[in-house]
Amino acid sequence: MLTVDFTRFPLAAGDRVLDLGCGAGRHAFECYRRGAQVVALDQNGEEIREVAKWFAAMKEAGEAPAGATATAMEGDALNLPFPDESFDVVIISEVMEHIPDDKGVLAEMVRVLKPGGRIAVTVPRYGPEKVCWALSDAYHEVEGGHIRIYKADELLGRMREAGLKPYGTHHAHALHSPYWWLKCAFGVDNDKALPVRAYHKLLVWDIMKKPLATKVAEQLLNPIVGKSFVAYATKPHLPKTDAKTDAKTDAKTDAKTDAKTDA
């Protein structure tokens, strides 16, 4: 189940991609299938080991085209172990709502992204998330849980402050919002409640069978109750300076400085 829409977020074979806070690896796997050179990074060592196993299985099964590479590694989102301008693409999906220093994470992503590179950020949408918080304290008052709810304008503003240029947004996973409302209403850890079990079966059926009816329903409902807010942005190229103009300016400055010194 992908949150990033790759029809809006183009990915070319050979692109170097960082899936930051990759979790179980769903976006990293899709990028690998599309021929990218993928680095999946997460602080959870257990999940990273599972992602590495899936990368190996995909390679063995021939699911990735020639030239594609995939690496899974542990790391800190606030101190990425990569040089400046290392990646063409950065994806961070359902992660920033967990991190106290979200501005620091954005700064690190911008640092490792090449000028002209693309970034996709997804977070829980404000409205559906507020319902979850209202229904259950256990939903968010847990170690490593959600510590904030973003409004769309707030997230876009932080992205702009970090030096990014947003170019598109949308909502995703409308069918998942009612599931989480039921989970919060009956107990986040209570998977045995009949409404929760029934709705979970519906979601699994939808993911496995991909029927047209639920696809259309979700597309219609996404603008209203989509569970996730997705924002796409680019890192602008720095403006080129005119070397001749700079040289003349420097010469004039030096001349004025020398004249004042002589005086």
Side-chain angles (χ1 to χ4, degrees):
M1 183 186 73
L2 299 174
T3 308
V4 172
D5 181 353
F6 287 95
T7 65
R8 310 178 194 223
F9 190 65
L11 187 69
D15 276 350
R16 186 162 168 78
V17 177
L18 172 63
D19 185 2
L20 181 57
C22 64
R26 57 200 173 107
H27 289 106
F29 299 148
E30 180 64 20
C31 293
Y32 188 33
R33 291 188 187 97
R34 290 171 177 262
Q37 298 176 10
V38 184
V39 176
L41 183 143
D42 201 287
Q43 66 177 1
N44 187 317
E46 183 176 343
E47 286 195 312
I48 283 297
R49 286 187 287 275
E50 283 299 310
V51 170
K53 290 178 183 178
W54 279 104
F55 278 151
M58 290 172 67
K59 182 178 181 180
E60 182 70 21
E63 290 189 38
T69 62
T71 303
M73 61 185 295
E74 290 185 59
D76 181 359
L78 290 165
N79 186 24
L80 296 174
F82 311 112
D84 296 355
E85 302 179 5
S86 299
F87 295 93
D88 303 291
V89 173
V90 177
I91 296 171
I92 184 166
S93 182
E94 311 300 304
V95 174
M96 288 181 57
E97 67 276 8
H98 296 274
I99 302 176
D101 186 9
D102 58 344
K103 292 184 179 180
V105 173
L106 277 168
E108 272 293 87
M109 290 190 289
V110 172
R111 180 183 68 78
V112 302
L113 186 64
K114 296 178 181 178
R118 303 171 305 285
I119 186 168
V121 180
T122 91
V123 296
R125 185 183 185 177
Y126 184 82
E129 187 75 349
K130 284 286 284 186
V131 174
C132 288
W133 282 47
L135 289 172
S136 171
D137 290 336
Y139 172 79
H140 62 97
E141 291 182 357
V142 295
E143 184 178 355
H146 298 184
I147 62 171
R148 71 174 64 82
I149 308 176
Y150 287 102
K151 291 184 177 179
D153 290 345
E154 177 188 5
L155 178 61
L156 293 171
R158 294 194 184 189
M159 293 171 70
R160 291 188 183 98
E161 288 174 4
L164 296 167
K165 185 178 180 180
Y167 69 83
T169 66
H170 65 90
H171 300 100
H173 310 318
L175 295 182
H176 288 251
S177 289
Y179 172 71
W180 281 103
W181 297 338
L182 288 170
K183 288 270 287 182
C184 290
F186 287 93
V188 174
D189 297 320
N190 181 14
D191 293 328
K192 295 182 178 180
L194 180 59
V196 175
R197 287 192 290 115
Y199 202 96
H200 183 263
K201 287 183 179 179
L202 171 65
L203 291 179
V204 172
W205 172 77
D206 176 56
I207 292 170
M208 298 301 294
K209 300 296 184 180
K210 299 180 175 63
L212 179 61
T214 54
K215 181 179 180 180
V216 171
E218 185 156 73
Q219 288 176 344
L220 293 173
L221 290 171
N222 274 336
I224 305 169
V225 292
K227 183 72 170 66
S228 295
F229 173 70
V230 188
Y232 305 108
T234 58
K235 178 179 177 180
H237 288 276
L238 293 175
K240 294 182 179 180
T241 58
D242 188 326
K244 291 182 179 179
T245 301
D246 289 346
K248 289 180 180 179
T249 301
D250 291 342
K252 288 180 179 179
T253 302
D254 291 342
K256 288 181 179 179
T257 303
D258 291 343
K260 288 181 179 179
T261 302
D262 293 342

